[in-house]
Amino acid sequence: MPRKLPQELVDQAIDHLWNDRASLKACSQVCHRWLPSARTHLFREQRLTSAKDCARFETLIQTSPDVASLVRTLAISETMSSMYAQNWLTRVPTLVANLHRLTTLELVGVRYPSLRDISPETLSALSRLTALAFADVFFDSYTDLHALLSSACNVKELCFYSVSWVHPSYSPSPPDGPSPVKVHPPLRRLVIDSWASSTMLREWLLPSAQHLEVRTLMARWRERDCIDVLNALLKSCGTSLQNLYIELPTTMDESQELPSLYHNTGLRALEIDGLVVPGCVAWIFALLAHLRSPCLDKLSVSLLVLNNSSISLFDWATLDSVLSQPSFSHTSLALNINLAFQSNNDPSAVKEAIVGHLPDAARRGKLSICCTG
């Protein structure tokens, strides 16, 4: 029996502990042979939530420069306690520039500092990112956000959730600031919510993107007057789009544009959420009207139903007729019914009524109903 295990076996064993920090720290102290593998996982993801965290990490990469090459994900978060950026956040661009193998940057609950004085090194670092996430992020101006997005020109995954700014104006060449890169990123997964998403798409992504390779799109869309931007995005995704989660407004004007999936013939999974019965459900039928993907395996619809009697107000016949088309013979329909809490609401009765309204889907055995209340 060998006195020492082969290094590849040691590495594989430590890899199984990738999310167990206590065990990884213990492994790093066993011997020099165990240290590299343990450090790879210990420093792969760094989360900074305060000035103290930031100072500690800056000291670490100054005393142990090789640690910087191990960081793949940097997550910056802090609860916004004022309308001004916290002082330690102004050091984030320089920190990003020093992480030469960084691929993912997450900003959560921060007031991001101005990018007008951003260094070429930071711009270069942003161009190496493959994933970028914003959640509850506040910018001084839209120009700063645009500069950051344009510099991150190789991002494949983008999460854009609850992002806002003070100054909405944008000029292609902001004074004393970086010029946007006129190349759209190779996006594969895009998550956008209702807060200012149309501005981001209209001014940053769509002008340079005649065709996007987005495979998965999650869109919580609440801007009723900007459905044209949503349609432009869906058209740009075209046949590349395979998975779509979409949540649309609960009200609409008679004259406004409706969403369309006409160009998305490669869809494999479609999930429609945010519908209220009784209420405006015209959005779902607008989507179904142009649904023509022969690859659609799963259609999921989520409804908030106020009471038992409201079930009959939904146009189940149209939904059933769409699924009865030969091209959708293999498509399963999953209905998620959230029944409002009222004493006379009966989930069993609602489920039975829906089965009666969808005879073709029920007959094909492709119907599943989850009713809670």
Side-chain angles (χ1 to χ4, degrees):
M1 181 175 180
R3 298 180 61 184
K4 291 184 179 180
L5 288 173
Q7 187 62 40
E8 56 268 25
L9 294 182
V10 173
D11 293 340
Q12 288 183 23
I14 294 177
D15 285 345
H16 284 287
L17 304 172
W18 64 272
N19 63 343
D20 186 342
R21 293 189 63 83
S23 297
L24 288 170
K25 289 180 180 179
C27 289
S28 69
Q29 298 171 4
V30 171
C31 64
H32 288 294
R33 294 176 60 236
W34 288 35
L35 180 59
S37 294
R39 292 208 316 170
T40 296
H41 297 293
L42 281 171
F43 296 110
R44 178 178 294 275
E45 180 177 328
Q46 292 298 310
R47 294 190 174 273
L48 309 181
T49 62
S50 66
K52 186 176 180 179
D53 284 349
C54 185
R56 185 187 301 116
F57 186 62
E58 288 173 329
T59 300
L60 176 63
I61 60 178
Q62 287 172 2
T63 57
S64 302
D66 55 326
V67 168
S69 65
L70 301 176
V71 180
R72 300 292 185 274
T73 298
L74 178 64
I76 307 294
S77 63
E78 184 174 63
T79 303
M80 290 184 292
S81 57
S82 70
M83 291 298 290
Y84 301 96
Q86 303 299 311
N87 290 335
W88 72 276
L89 293 176
T90 61
R91 293 160 17 217
V92 170
T94 301
L95 191 59
V96 169
N98 291 330
L99 304 177
H100 304 295
R101 301 184 69 184
L102 186 70
T103 59
T104 301
L105 177 62
E106 300 176 4
L107 303 177
V108 181
V110 301
R111 168 71 181 263
Y112 199 75
S114 175
L115 297 174
R116 292 182 181 276
D117 299 323
I118 196 169
S119 68
E121 291 78 15
T122 301
L123 288 176
S124 178
L126 292 173
S127 70
R128 294 193 293 268
L129 295 177
T130 58
L132 188 58
F134 300 99
D136 299 313
V137 180
F138 194 82
F139 287 85
D140 287 337
S141 70
Y142 178 73
T143 298
D144 290 334
L145 171 61
H146 194 285
L148 193 157
L149 289 172
S150 298
S151 299
C153 54
N154 290 302
V155 166
K156 293 183 179 180
E157 295 189 18
L158 173 63
C159 177
F160 195 83
Y161 180 83
S162 192
V163 179
S164 57
W165 46 83
V166 177
H167 307 293
S169 61
Y170 164 71
S171 59
S173 299
D176 303 322
S179 298
V181 180
K182 298 298 184 180
V183 179
H184 73 273
L187 285 174
R188 296 296 183 271
R189 182 174 182 269
L190 177 60
V191 179
I192 53 177
D193 81 329
S194 59
W195 189 270
S197 53
S198 63
T199 301
M200 182 271 290
L201 295 172
R202 184 187 292 111
E203 298 191 7
W204 167 66
L205 184 61
L206 294 177
S208 62
Q210 294 183 351
H211 178 67
L212 294 169
E213 296 292 336
V214 174
R215 304 287 195 273
T216 299
L217 172 62
M218 298 180 66
R220 293 179 173 88
W221 201 269
R222 294 301 183 188
E223 299 175 89
R224 293 185 306 164
D225 55 343
C226 296
I227 298 298
D228 60 319
V229 178
L230 175 62
N231 278 336
L233 174 63
L234 292 171
K235 182 178 180 180
S236 294
C237 293
T239 57
S240 297
L241 189 61
Q242 297 179 3
N243 305 290
L244 174 62
Y245 169 93
I246 189 166
E247 184 176 326
L248 291 161
T250 55
T251 60
M252 66 176 293
D253 298 327
E254 294 182 1
S255 60
Q256 70 185 120
E257 186 172 350
L258 294 173
S260 173
L261 298 176
Y262 180 82
H263 300 280
N264 309 118
T265 55
L267 273 179
R268 294 184 178 276
L270 171 61
E271 185 174 353
I272 304 173
D273 203 348
L275 301 175
V276 180
V277 180
C280 177
V281 292
W283 303 112
I284 180 176
F285 299 114
L287 293 171
L288 295 176
H290 296 117
L291 187 61
R292 57 194 192 102
S293 171
C295 312
L296 191 67
D297 294 322
K298 181 180 179 180
L299 171 62
S300 176
V301 179
S302 297
L303 299 169
L304 171 61
V305 178
L306 299 185
N307 51 63
N308 282 26
S309 60
S310 300
I311 287 294
S312 60
L313 301 178
F314 189 82
D315 189 358
W316 298 104
T318 298
L319 179 59
D320 202 40
S321 65
V322 168
L323 294 178
S324 66
Q325 298 176 24
S327 57
F328 299 128
S329 60
H330 62 286
T331 303
S332 64
L333 172 61
L335 292 173
N336 302 302
I337 310 297
N338 185 10
L339 193 59
F341 182 75
Q342 294 184 20
S343 59
N344 58 341
N345 284 345
D346 184 355
S348 299
V350 168
K351 186 174 181 178
E352 183 179 351
I354 292 175
V355 171
H357 288 309
L358 297 171
D360 288 339
R363 184 165 47 251
R364 288 189 297 114
K366 297 286 186 176
L367 175 63
S368 63
I369 303 174
C370 177
C371 188
T372 58

